[in-house]
Amino acid sequence: MSDDPAMIERWIAMAAVHRRIEARIEQDLRRQVGLGSREFCALSVLRRGTRTDKGPLHLGELAVAVGLSPSATSRLVARLEV
């Protein structure tokens, strides 16, 4: 990690902006479609269906695409099935 205080402050500021953008996206998705960003992302990946040359999408691949652990992805899919 750099010891440059100015660079550290820029990264802190950028991270704060990123969190505000994510929160706004989350609010808008929930208001407009009733889903959180992870659920929306999972459904968009699943909507694309099977992989073109390898058959059905596996849970681990969905987990990578959504940015969750396999167990968290399994719980997410279970919630979406209800």
Side-chain angles (χ1 to χ4, degrees):
M1 184 167 165
S2 173
D3 291 333
D4 179 4
M7 186 183 75
I8 293 169
E9 287 304 314
R10 287 191 302 270
W11 277 106
I12 290 169
M14 186 175 66
V17 169
H18 184 263
R19 284 190 302 276
R20 287 194 303 273
I21 291 169
E22 281 188 316
R24 180 63 186 266
I25 290 170
E26 189 77 23
Q27 288 173 344
D28 287 351
L29 274 172
R30 289 209 183 272
R31 184 174 31 82
Q32 293 178 20
V33 296
L35 296 170
S37 58
R38 300 286 187 184
E39 291 87 356
F40 185 84
C41 182
L43 288 174
S44 69
V45 169
L46 291 170
R47 182 174 187 255
R48 286 181 249 149
T50 61
R51 297 174 291 163
T52 52
D53 61 342
K54 299 179 183 176
L57 187 69
H58 295 276
L59 184 67
E61 295 166 315
L62 179 60
V64 169
V66 176
L68 294 173
S69 69
S71 62
T73 303
S74 182
R75 291 189 301 273
L76 175 92
V77 169
R79 287 192 310 271
L80 291 172
E81 288 178 329
V82 174

